[in-house]
Amino acid sequence: MKTFFVTGGAGFIGSAVVRHIINNTNHKVINIDKLTYAGNLESLIEIEKSDRYHFEQVDICDSSSLNDLFNKYSPNYVMHLAAESHVDRSIDGPGDFIETNIIGTYKLLEAARKYWSQLQDKNSFKFHHISTDEVYGDLHGTTDLFTEETSYSPSSPYSASKASSDHLVRAWSRTYGLPVIITNCSNNYGPYHFPEKLIPLTILNAIAGKKLPVYGNGEQIRDWLYVEDHARALYKVVTDGEIGQTYNIGGHNERKNIDVVRTICDILDDMIADKPENIQSFKDLIEFVTDRPGHDLRYAIDASKIQHELGWEPDETFETGIKKTVEWYLNNTSWWQRVLDGSYAGTRLGLGN
Ligand code: NAD
């Protein structure tokens, strides 16, 4: 049995990683999460009773608490997902992104280095930093792909802070020999996604008969990956990946934002006979709004390295994954209603309402 630290384990992808490890292995998981607005322990209800799962409410900027956690649990692996992750929020207020994504990663690296440098078996530890394809900037051609060699050119405060954290992680490897692996992934979607992001926002607005906002002309292209495929890839990388390497992770599912929204509307049109008043199709709710400043045009990942070297491929196509996702939101109304009305925040205080 190995011990995994998962930072940000109450978030969208982190909770999928925690569920994946608890449900599919015999390993122990320590979820280290500050519980910002994006952290939701209700995403972990199905595994929270496992005696292999422990939650620690800790800010990754708090060095002393991090040192205590390393001494208390002696982890084999750190999977670092804690971050501020929403581009629009980074434009409105970059401070938290600098604090958590850059300073927090630095504090975590230092705590990990302190712990690792005292280990007798230095090969028994890996630090896996989870990052985004947004560090590469955007692509203007229609066939270019981001590879692990693509140079960094981040556009938003979010992607710049993630790029910065990637550089710190590489420097800690090169300078101090800390055994690190980095992954850069494309856009994720799936269950338990906070409803400020495009796909859950579109599903929930449509069900409520509200407008479906699409930035600019909706021509921006993203490469979509089902979150459970990402969780599987991350587990594969941290256990089997080669130290010092970077792996790009993507779904081979490039879609224009407007086509994503239309696909969701088509699925809802099939599933919901009883439509909100005054509409024939959910597509009637689509509304184009002023584009996000600095909006990247196209992201697309070349995921051939992880496929060839570690044998990982996504199980879901966009068509299968988006259908599952819409069904999940229709069947799990209490999870998202408690997010929308703010009552999910009660569980972090033990109020449980
Ligand atoms: P999320 O916003 O859903 O979750 C982030 C989690 O981190 C939350 O639980 C939050 O409480 C926690 N957190 C934030 N600040 C913290 C701090 N200072 N200390 C401890 N915990 C803190 O994010 P996500 O979408 O699950 O993304 C997870 C990681 O994956 C991020 O690093 C992100 O950059 C990366 N990523 C995300 C995507 C995507 O499409 N969502 C794609 C590629 C990479």
Side-chain angles (χ1 to χ4, degrees):
M1 186 199 274
K2 305 275 190 203
T3 298
F4 286 69
F5 274 8
V6 177
T7 71
F12 169 49
I13 302 172
S15 69
V17 169
V18 174
R19 291 191 304 272
H20 178 80
I21 298 175
I22 295 295
N23 286 332
N24 297 288
T25 76
N26 291 321
H27 301 311
K28 194 165 147 184
V29 175
I30 318 302
N31 174 9
I32 299 168
D33 198 300
K34 175 182 172 181
L35 296 183
T36 66
Y37 79 95
N40 186 352
L41 293 177
E42 295 182 20
S43 306
L44 293 161
I45 281 173
E46 75 177 68
I47 57 87
E48 70 180 3
K49 300 250 161 20
S50 167
D51 58 7
R52 292 180 289 115
Y53 169 73
H54 301 273
F55 173 63
E56 297 279 359
Q57 183 166 3
V58 163
D59 184 338
I60 57 162
C61 296
D62 174 357
S63 298
S64 140
S65 296
L66 289 177
N67 289 333
D68 290 346
L69 291 179
F70 276 97
N71 292 333
K72 180 174 172 190
Y73 292 107
S74 305
N76 303 94
Y77 300 113
V78 173
M79 300 178 79
H80 175 36
L81 295 102
E84 288 293 335
S85 70
H86 190 43
V87 176
D88 290 342
R89 286 181 187 256
S90 82
I91 294 168
D92 293 343
D96 288 346
F97 291 72
I98 307 302
E99 200 61 42
T100 286
N101 300 1
I102 305 178
I103 308 290
T105 299
Y106 155 66
K107 297 280 174 81
L108 186 66
L109 282 166
E110 280 296 79
R113 181 165 78 93
K114 191 170 176 193
Y115 162 75
W116 170 77
S117 62
Q118 293 162 359
L119 288 178
Q120 292 217 319
D121 179 6
K122 299 240 173 339
N123 295 324
S124 64
F125 179 77
K126 276 186 203 171
F127 185 105
H128 178 184
H129 178 62
I130 284 85
S131 192
T132 165
D133 63 352
E134 299 192 30
V135 297
Y136 299 125
D138 63 354
L139 296 163
H140 288 274
T142 51
T143 54
D144 305 347
L145 298 172
F146 296 132
T147 73
E148 288 80 2
E149 312 306 323
T150 303
S151 51
Y152 279 28
S153 182
S155 310
S156 70
Y158 163 66
S159 53
S161 68
K162 290 297 292 188
S164 182
S165 66
D166 293 10
H167 290 320
L168 290 176
V169 172
R170 284 201 181 88
W172 259 241
S173 163
R174 178 86 189 257
T175 306
Y176 305 111
L178 189 73
V180 308
I181 302 189
I182 297 177
T183 49
N184 295 88
C185 187
S186 58
N187 279 42
N188 283 218
Y189 68 101
Y192 300 106
H193 205 180
F194 199 83
E196 65 186 352
K197 306 274 172 96
L198 176 69
I199 288 180
L201 181 81
T202 300
I203 299 169
L204 299 189
N205 273 14
I207 298 169
K210 293 185 187 164
K211 292 286 183 197
L212 307 179
V214 175
Y215 277 133
N217 57 11
E219 294 290 309
Q220 309 86 356
I221 295 172
R222 302 288 178 263
D223 178 359
W224 292 95
L225 180 67
Y226 193 62
V227 68
E228 289 172 14
D229 278 327
H230 190 195
R232 252 188 334 104
L234 295 178
Y235 180 74
K236 189 97 187 140
V237 167
V238 76
T239 51
D240 295 348
E242 196 182 322
I243 286 169
Q245 292 294 311
T246 296
Y247 298 90
N248 280 355
I249 307 174
H252 312 293
N253 283 306
E254 282 183 56
R255 295 286 184 287
K256 289 180 186 168
N257 283 349
I258 182 65
D259 292 337
V260 169
V261 173
R262 286 193 183 120
T263 302
I264 293 169
C265 292
D266 287 338
I267 296 170
L268 287 172
D269 281 342
D270 285 347
M271 286 182 178
I272 300 179
D274 210 6
K275 306 220 169 25
E277 274 176 36
N278 305 330
I279 61 163
Q280 305 278 309
S281 158
F282 285 100
K283 286 189 200 117
D284 299 341
L285 298 171
I286 293 173
E287 178 182 60
F288 294 96
V289 298
T290 309
D291 208 354
R292 168 193 279 169
H295 207 168
D296 286 335
L297 190 60
R298 174 173 171 257
Y299 306 138
I301 282 269
D302 175 353
S304 54
K305 177 172 170 181
I306 186 172
Q307 185 184 347
H308 294 141
E309 294 187 11
L310 300 179
W312 173 88
E313 280 186 65
D315 283 343
E316 303 292 343
T317 63
F318 187 70
E319 284 64 35
T320 59
I322 193 69
K323 190 147 182 286
K324 277 188 177 180
T325 304
V326 174
E327 281 167 354
W328 187 88
Y329 278 90
L330 293 178
N331 293 329
N332 289 275
T333 45
S334 69
W335 181 87
W336 53 261
Q337 266 164 356
R338 288 170 58 76
V339 174
L340 292 183
D341 69 20
S343 52
Y344 75 108
T347 47
R348 70 194 52 190
L349 303 170
L351 303 177
N353 83 354

